[in-house]
Amino acid sequence: MMTHIFRKQILVLAFFLSTFLAGAQQSEYNVGPESAFIKANKLYTEKAYAAAQNRFKSLSKQDNAPQEIKENSAYFAAICALELNQEDAEKQVLNFVQNYPQSAKKDLALLDLGNSHFNENELKEALDWYQKIKASKLSKEKQDELTFNRSYALMMTDELEDSKNGFSTLLSHPSYGKEASYYFGFIAYKQKDYTTAEVYLSEASKEQSYEGEASYYLLDISFKNAQFEKSVSLGKALLNKATEKDVSEVSKIVGESYFNLKRYKDAIPYLTAYKGKSGKWNNTDFYQLGYAYYQQKDYQNAVKNFTKIISSTDAVSQNAYYHLGECYLYLNQKSEALNAFKNASEMSFDAKIKEDAFLNYAKLSYEQGNPYKSVALVLQDFLAAYPQSPYYKEINTLVVTSYIYQQDYQGALDYMAKKRTMENIVLSKDVSFYRGVQLFNENKLKQAYSYFSTATSSTDLAIKAAAKYWKAETDYQLGNYKDALEGYISFKSDRNAKTLDEFAKVNYSIAYGYFKLKNYAKAISFFQEFLKTTNKSNALYDDANIRLGDCYFVTKNYQNAINAYQTVIQKKGVGADYAQYQKGMSFGFIGQNNTKITNLLAVASQYSSSNLQDDALFQTASTYALLKNNQKAHQTYNRLIKEHPKSSYIASALLRQGLLFYNDNQPDAALEKYKSIVKIYPATSEAKQAVSNARNVYVDLGQVDAYAAWVKNISFVNVTNADLDNTTYEAAENKFVANDNAKAIEGFEKYISSFPEGLHALQAHFYLAQSLLNTDNPEKASTHYQYVISKNQSEFSEEALNKLAQIYLENENWSAAMPLLSRLEQEANYAQNILFAQSNLMKGYYQDDQFKKATDYAEKVLQNDKLASNVEFDAKIIIARVAFKTDDLTTAENYYKEVEAKANGELKAEALYYSAYFKNTKKDYAGSNSIVQQLIADYSSYKYWGVKSYVIMAKNYYALKDAYQATYILENIIKNFSQYDDVIVEAQKELDRIKALEAKTNDSVNPKN
């Protein structure tokens, strides 16, 4: 193309010399400048530009040289500068133009200057000089050269229309014609004038020098003109001689042509041969190959390509995601299909695809669960969006069952309340039962009761029977024992109850009802009936024997009581320490006091963790006293005081010791004991009795004045007001016993106001707190519980600590609750209160990041024999959490497995999350995803764990080479769950990582979006 630029220059010079030499030969030896010009010209033609330039420069400055020689010499000197690439070459040409403005070679010089930039591919600079040329001053040949070079420069600088106009004048030119035709066709191609382009490029393709490039453009033109058969033919022919660089692009056109011809099998090898732009494919590339595989029913390979299309919202991606969903269905990967259909349903480029994708998304949500939204709400969204859908009725029937399947029973009831059809009214009674059980398990008993009441009118006879049982159980837990008993009996007599699991326990429940109502004969009968039909391994077997023994004990049938207790002792069952204690007490009541002592001491020696040790020691000491073995009695009381300094029996033990000393005529020792009680346990019943006993000692000693002086300083003793004190207190207490809380509150408040340090101040504060709590006034109750626990340990301390701690815990006031729980653990006599304290201390220490203490208490809790499953799971989950946070992953995994195996509700959801987590760390990605799917399907109401597990699922998918699922899940987490800050941070970090990696191979992925 650029071979014409300077080749004419020699011819110009030769022409000049031929005319000049004709005259020069006449006087060759007489004219010096002419001879010098000839020699300079010879050097120029021999390309000795430096030497030629020196001579031309010299001639241009000779005064005696003719003007024509000087002008031509100046011109050629400047041209030599261009040939030599001298720094000031341009300046020299401009000097010539300036010095010879009228020269015929002025425009030729500008053309030479433009061409020098043209040769260096400095096209914009070349155009600047071409613009300054008056073409009419040039020869025809030079005008054509200017037109060609200028048109080429315009083309290369995207001035296509001007370029095309220039080339159009040269199409038939003998020298420039072929090149001009090629470029003219190329510009038409660039301007999408494919008809014109095809004509000129077809001609150009016949020339070997243009065949390759022209053929490629012709191929592309046929493709863009939708001449796909022709594209295939041209492309295949071109592939036989294409360079390695061109094979990729040509293959792409052939593959797409086959694709558009719906010859998908033929398209696949050509589409796969495409290398992408700069080594990257875009979303359309992945879609076409994926769809081709889809049409061949090669769903695995289709998925591999469709899933490369990530974070995209256009018609191509909607189509891709819809077909991706279909592929997943064919591969039975329903959870993955749900995401793909959801994604397609969120785009509106194709309304039919949108609706069909939404339908599939709704159905899959029902089958698989939905991590983003309540399944019932997804179904209702579909109904609202497509009320005319032929699937409307089918989807409508799934709404209620979806609520039930997701255990969102309240949601189901609310929905049916809005859609009050006869069918829904009937069904709502059944659902009420399940909602009741749910609330019962959450310890919301009063709320549960109304649901069970509704369910007792269910038309489903099994549910109706079960509702009777659970209503009775709720009555029992609320202390309504008479109603509970009636309910249990009604359940037992229901013929539909016998097939239910609850039926196996009903005799046990009836027995407890009678037991609470003090109908011990009936209780004995039903406990015996239960024990006949239950297995010894039943968790209730030991408790039933103990309660049977208690019934015999209360009815003074001590030998039968001993037999019942012995069953548990021999079995080493749950509550064996209590059975041992009661057995000892029973022997005492039949006059076998030595045997009583033996059994009671067994409690202290054989049951080291029993909370009955202080009871046993107190009763042992009292029995020694009864047997007049005062020395042994004192030793045992002292042992009690030493080993159990916080026992509620200490005051009583000191009182008993005082009496023993008094009876042994040791008045000083007796007074010492009595005075210590008054000092350490003021205002207690034992302190008041100690004052009375001390009075007798002082009277016996004849030291009445000493007594008066001592008792004057005791604040709780006021002899003159004692009757009024007692009367006021008894009036309030009577109302409390009668369950008249309002009157009891009024009475106790009056007593405390009148006798703030009265004889019964402690009891009054305690019972006032109980009455206030019974009337749902925990804030006022807490003040009076605080009064009780601020005093020395008493018979009310344990209950006050328990209730006050519960009040604080209900308000999440852990800082106030923790000291009370610590005291309760140390001071409690009842096992359930100790367990309550330990289990909540465990939780409190965990919340305060005191992991060692949390674990220690969790292990203490697990050592209990009689442990409710929910408390067991709480302890195990604490150990698991602490182990995870302290990087003891083996322990964490083991405990989470134990919880997962048996727990329900939120703890089950948490355990499943960690099961998925550990499988992910072991690279069991498919197994991890299965766990996440289970969590989402069965425990979706526990959103935090569902969403958190979805981040793991995204990581699993990316490890399984499914970038689409990974990014779609993460984007939806970020979009829909901003309330979970920690999860959002983790999801965003993972999404950024994946996008950065995918952007390396997919040109459509922007890692910054």
Side-chain angles (χ1 to χ4, degrees):
M1 177 195 70
M2 291 181 278
T3 56
H4 303 277
I5 298 174
F6 278 106
R7 66 187 182 184
K8 303 294 184 183
Q9 209 58 255
I10 302 295
L11 298 176
V12 172
L13 183 58
F15 173 78
F16 169 77
L17 288 175
S18 66
T19 57
F20 175 75
L21 289 177
Q25 288 173 352
Q26 297 174 16
S27 56
E28 181 179 351
Y29 298 104
N30 299 321
V31 183
E34 290 81 353
S35 177
F37 186 84
I38 293 170
K39 290 179 180 178
N41 172 64
K42 183 179 180 185
L43 291 170
Y44 183 89
T45 56
E46 293 173 352
K47 298 184 180 182
Y49 299 118
Q53 185 184 41
N54 289 333
R55 291 177 181 259
F56 284 133
K57 279 186 177 181
S58 177
L59 280 168
S60 69
K61 295 175 182 178
Q62 283 186 17
D63 294 333
N64 62 341
Q67 183 63 25
E68 185 178 7
I69 288 179
K70 289 174 69 173
E71 178 183 328
N72 283 308
S73 294
Y75 168 75
F76 282 108
I79 299 303
C80 285
L82 290 176
E83 291 286 0
L84 292 169
N85 289 318
Q86 291 175 348
E87 288 185 10
D88 64 342
E90 187 169 313
K91 182 179 179 182
Q92 291 185 50
V93 175
L94 292 175
N95 284 340
F96 167 77
V97 172
Q98 186 176 2
N99 292 334
Y100 300 97
Q102 302 304 318
S103 172
K105 291 186 172 57
K106 172 187 171 183
D107 291 290
L108 185 61
L110 291 174
L111 177 61
D112 292 333
L113 183 55
N115 286 345
S116 72
H117 284 293
F118 186 90
N119 282 338
E120 295 298 323
N121 206 32
E122 297 168 353
L123 302 179
K124 287 187 178 181
E125 291 83 350
L127 285 170
D128 288 341
W129 292 114
Y130 292 152
Q131 298 297 335
K132 300 178 187 300
I133 299 171
K134 291 182 180 179
S136 61
K137 298 291 185 178
L138 298 173
S139 65
K140 179 65 171 65
E141 188 175 5
K142 285 297 179 179
Q143 288 180 25
D144 292 342
E145 181 181 335
L146 172 63
T147 300
F148 182 86
N149 288 355
R150 180 175 175 275
S151 298
Y152 181 86
L154 287 168
M155 179 183 70
M156 298 305 291
T157 54
D158 287 330
E159 299 289 337
L160 298 182
E161 192 59 35
D162 286 345
S163 175
K164 186 179 179 184
N165 291 336
F167 282 128
S168 68
T169 65
L170 301 173
L171 293 176
S172 58
H173 195 281
S175 299
Y176 297 108
K178 292 179 181 178
E179 286 182 86
S181 294
Y182 171 72
Y183 291 129
F184 187 82
F186 173 75
I187 292 170
Y189 167 81
K190 293 283 283 185
Q191 293 178 326
K192 300 184 179 179
D193 178 3
Y194 297 127
T195 302
T196 301
E198 189 171 14
V199 171
Y200 285 93
L201 290 172
S202 294
E203 282 299 314
S205 68
K206 297 173 184 177
E207 296 293 326
Q208 186 173 359
S209 56
Y210 305 118
E211 180 184 7
E213 290 183 9
S215 296
Y216 176 81
Y217 295 131
L218 289 168
L219 169 63
D220 195 43
I221 288 169
S222 65
F223 180 80
K224 287 173 178 172
N225 284 332
Q227 298 171 311
F228 300 122
E229 293 284 5
K230 184 176 180 181
S231 295
V232 169
S233 176
L234 287 173
K236 284 186 171 182
L238 192 55
L239 281 173
N240 293 327
K241 46 193 172 182
T243 64
E244 184 177 348
K245 178 184 175 182
D246 293 334
V247 166
S248 172
E249 293 294 335
V250 174
S251 295
K252 174 65 171 171
I253 294 174
V254 174
E256 283 199 45
S257 298
Y258 274 130
F259 182 90
N260 288 316
L261 292 167
K262 298 184 179 180
R263 292 168 59 180
Y264 302 109
K265 183 177 180 181
D266 293 328
I268 289 171
Y270 292 99
L271 292 175
T272 54
Y274 178 55
K275 303 301 181 185
K277 303 288 186 185
S278 301
K280 295 183 180 182
W281 282 25
N282 61 33
N283 286 345
T284 302
D285 302 329
F286 287 116
Y287 168 74
Q288 288 175 339
L289 183 56
Y291 189 81
Y293 279 123
Y294 166 82
Q295 288 290 342
Q296 295 305 112
K297 296 183 170 47
D298 185 350
Y299 302 118
Q300 290 285 9
N301 276 316
V303 166
K304 285 180 182 178
N305 285 278
F306 285 141
T307 54
K308 293 291 185 180
I309 303 171
I310 64 174
S311 305
S312 183
T313 52
D314 53 32
V316 169
S317 56
Q318 184 187 25
N319 228 305
Y321 298 150
Y322 178 81
H323 289 103
L324 175 61
E326 288 192 310
C327 290
Y328 281 132
L329 287 181
Y330 284 122
L331 295 170
N332 199 33
Q333 294 176 247
K334 293 184 177 181
S335 178
E336 292 85 345
L338 181 146
N339 283 329
F341 284 127
K342 178 179 186 294
N343 203 350
S345 74
E346 293 168 336
M347 301 183 208
S348 303
F349 301 101
D350 186 316
K352 188 174 185 310
I353 285 179
K354 180 182 177 72
E355 180 176 351
D356 199 50
F358 201 158
L359 176 64
N360 280 292
Y361 169 55
K363 287 182 175 180
L364 286 168
S365 295
Y366 178 78
E367 289 181 34
Q368 301 295 120
N370 189 302
Y372 310 113
K373 197 172 187 178
S374 161
V375 172
L377 291 179
V378 172
L379 295 169
Q380 290 174 71
D381 287 346
F382 178 83
L383 296 176
Y386 302 104
Q388 303 303 317
S389 170
Y391 299 95
Y392 188 93
K393 186 175 181 181
E394 177 188 349
I395 298 299
N396 192 44
T397 61
L398 299 180
V399 175
V400 173
T401 51
S402 71
Y403 276 119
I404 296 171
Y405 185 72
Q406 295 293 316
Q407 299 179 20
D408 184 2
Y409 304 118
Q410 190 59 55
L413 291 168
D414 292 341
Y415 179 78
M416 288 187 286
K418 288 186 287 186
K419 306 272 187 181
R420 288 186 62 79
T421 63
M422 185 55 65
E423 182 183 1
N424 282 348
I425 291 170
V426 171
L427 183 58
S428 66
K429 295 176 181 179
D430 299 346
V431 178
S432 289
F433 170 73
Y434 296 110
R435 178 57 176 156
V437 172
Q438 200 173 52
L439 290 166
F440 184 93
N441 289 333
E442 293 171 3
N443 205 32
K444 296 175 181 176
L445 302 176
K446 291 180 181 178
Q447 292 172 256
Y449 191 83
S450 63
Y451 288 96
F452 289 135
S453 296
T454 300
T456 56
S457 60
S458 171
T459 56
D460 185 312
L461 298 179
I463 288 179
K464 181 177 182 177
K468 289 181 183 179
Y469 178 85
W470 286 99
K471 182 184 175 189
E473 188 74 4
T474 306
D475 268 321
Y476 182 89
Q477 295 295 332
L478 290 171
N480 305 324
Y481 302 122
K482 184 179 178 183
D483 291 339
L485 182 59
E486 289 175 359
Y488 290 137
I489 292 172
S490 174
F491 170 77
K492 185 178 181 181
S493 63
D494 191 321
R495 63 181 181 178
N496 297 293
K498 293 181 180 179
T499 60
L500 302 177
D501 292 341
E502 291 86 349
F503 192 77
K505 187 184 174 185
V506 67
N507 285 326
Y508 174 84
S509 299
I510 292 171
Y512 251 105
Y514 281 123
F515 182 82
K516 287 293 186 179
L517 293 171
K518 297 182 170 49
N519 188 338
Y520 299 113
K522 286 280 191 180
I524 287 169
S525 172
F526 280 95
F527 277 128
Q528 287 176 330
E529 192 172 343
F530 172 75
L531 289 168
K532 287 177 187 175
T533 57
T534 194
N535 192 289
K536 289 185 179 181
S537 62
N538 189 316
L540 303 177
Y541 182 84
D542 295 332
D543 187 67
N545 270 300
I546 287 173
R547 291 292 88 85
L548 177 62
D550 288 345
C551 290
Y552 283 130
F553 183 89
V554 172
T555 55
K556 300 182 181 180
N557 190 341
Y558 297 114
Q559 189 57 56
N560 281 339
I562 290 168
N563 294 337
Y565 293 137
Q566 185 61 27
T567 301
V568 180
I569 295 167
Q570 285 181 334
K571 184 172 174 281
K572 296 181 180 180
V574 176
D577 58 331
Y578 175 82
Q580 185 76 58
Y581 175 83
Q582 286 293 99
K583 178 185 173 186
M585 296 299 292
S586 298
F587 276 118
F589 283 111
I590 59 176
Q592 298 183 33
N593 285 314
N594 288 323
T595 307
K596 172 186 177 181
I597 290 170
T598 300
N599 278 274
L600 290 174
L601 288 175
V603 175
S605 61
Q606 295 177 20
Y607 302 93
S608 59
S609 61
S610 174
N611 63 317
L612 294 171
Q613 286 192 339
D614 57 338
D615 301 73
L617 289 172
F618 181 79
Q619 292 296 338
T620 300
S622 299
T623 306
Y624 278 130
L626 182 66
L627 295 173
K628 308 298 183 185
N629 188 343
N630 291 355
Q631 183 180 1
K632 283 282 191 181
H634 278 301
Q635 287 175 354
T636 309
Y637 283 132
N638 288 335
R639 179 182 172 187
L640 167 63
I641 294 165
K642 180 181 178 182
E643 293 181 3
H644 303 279
K646 294 187 177 182
S647 170
S648 60
Y649 287 105
I650 301 298
S652 296
L654 292 169
L655 190 64
R656 298 279 182 105
Q657 283 189 300
L659 188 59
L660 288 176
F661 282 128
Y662 179 74
N663 290 335
D664 286 342
N665 199 26
Q666 299 182 54
D668 291 336
L671 283 175
E672 182 184 348
K673 293 293 181 182
Y674 294 144
K675 287 182 178 182
S676 66
I677 295 170
V678 172
K679 181 179 179 181
I680 301 171
Y681 303 100
T684 61
S685 58
E686 289 86 356
K688 292 160 193 169
Q689 185 63 49
V691 171
S692 177
N693 290 357
R695 177 181 177 279
N696 293 333
V697 176
Y698 276 117
V699 169
D700 287 348
L701 293 172
Q703 298 177 8
V704 177
D705 291 341
Y707 168 74
W710 174 61
V711 82
K712 183 172 65 175
N713 296 316
I714 300 174
S715 61
F716 60 86
V717 176
N718 188 329
V719 178
T720 57
N721 289 332
D723 287 342
L724 182 58
D725 182 309
N726 288 329
T727 302
T728 306
Y729 172 76
E730 286 172 11
E733 186 182 50
N734 288 338
K735 297 298 182 184
F736 179 79
V737 171
N739 287 323
D740 188 345
N741 289 307
K743 291 292 185 182
I745 291 169
E746 181 183 342
F748 287 128
E749 285 179 339
K750 179 180 178 182
Y751 174 84
I752 291 169
S753 175
S754 302
F755 304 98
E757 299 294 333
L759 297 172
H760 307 285
L762 189 66
Q763 296 97 313
H765 277 284
F766 177 75
Y767 291 130
L768 175 55
Q770 296 285 78
S771 301
L772 287 166
L773 198 61
N774 290 340
T775 54
D776 293 325
N777 197 341
E779 188 173 347
K780 286 187 72 175
S782 63
T783 302
H784 299 284
Y785 284 131
Q786 285 167 351
Y787 176 90
V788 174
I789 67 172
S790 71
K791 302 302 179 183
N792 286 316
Q793 189 172 349
S794 67
E795 62 188 294
F796 306 109
S797 300
E798 181 173 347
E799 183 72 3
L801 284 167
N802 180 286
K803 291 293 174 60
L804 186 55
Q806 285 190 53
I807 291 170
Y808 287 141
L809 290 174
E810 285 172 6
N811 292 315
E812 296 290 323
N813 188 353
W814 285 92
S815 60
M818 291 296 282
L820 302 182
L821 294 168
S822 294
R823 273 189 62 184
L824 182 62
E825 181 194 15
Q826 298 299 317
E827 297 177 17
N829 287 306
Y830 291 101
Q832 62 266 38
N833 287 336
I834 295 173
L835 182 58
F836 169 79
Q838 290 175 341
S839 61
N840 282 290
L841 283 167
M842 165 189 79
K843 295 175 184 177
Y845 283 128
Y846 177 78
Q847 288 195 20
D848 198 34
D849 290 342
Q850 298 189 53
F851 296 139
K852 176 66 168 61
K853 287 185 177 180
T855 302
D856 289 344
Y857 271 97
E859 290 172 349
K860 277 187 181 181
V861 168
L862 292 173
Q863 288 171 5
N864 283 270
D865 293 327
K866 196 173 182 179
L867 198 61
S869 58
N870 63 313
V871 179
E872 176 190 353
F873 299 147
D874 282 343
K876 288 180 176 179
I877 211 81
I878 289 292
I879 294 174
R881 290 172 183 169
V882 170
F884 187 83
K885 286 193 173 187
T886 54
D887 293 327
D888 182 1
L889 300 184
T890 301
T891 299
E893 184 174 10
N894 289 338
Y895 274 93
Y896 274 123
K897 279 182 179 177
E898 290 188 34
V899 175
E900 182 188 346
K902 297 179 182 178
N904 238 312
E906 187 168 10
L907 292 185
K908 176 81 167 188
E910 180 180 348
L912 286 170
Y913 165 80
Y914 280 100
S915 177
Y917 172 87
F918 288 119
K919 286 185 181 296
N920 170 273
T921 60
K922 295 173 182 176
K923 299 184 179 181
D924 180 6
Y925 305 119
S928 178
N929 274 350
S930 294
I931 298 296
V932 175
Q933 287 162 6
Q934 180 188 349
L935 196 166
I936 291 164
D938 299 337
Y939 299 93
S940 63
S941 56
Y942 304 104
K943 279 291 178 197
Y944 176 78
W945 294 110
V947 175
K948 196 170 174 64
S949 72
Y950 235 44
V951 177
I952 293 179
M953 180 174 262
K955 293 178 180 179
N956 290 335
Y957 277 126
Y958 196 64
L960 292 168
K961 311 298 183 187
D962 192 336
Y964 164 73
Q965 290 288 340
T967 54
Y968 185 71
I969 288 169
L970 294 169
E971 286 168 346
N972 272 273
I973 289 171
I974 294 164
K975 176 182 175 183
N976 296 309
F977 301 103
S978 58
Q979 67 268 39
Y980 304 128
D981 293 341
D982 60 321
V983 181
I984 295 299
V985 170
E986 185 181 4
Q988 187 65 62
K989 182 179 178 182
E990 184 65 14
L991 180 61
D992 291 344
R993 183 184 77 86
I994 292 172
K995 281 191 172 182
L997 291 171
E998 288 301 301
K1000 294 178 180 179
T1001 56
N1002 187 344
D1003 197 43
S1004 297
V1005 176
N1006 184 351
K1008 295 181 180 178
N1009 287 344

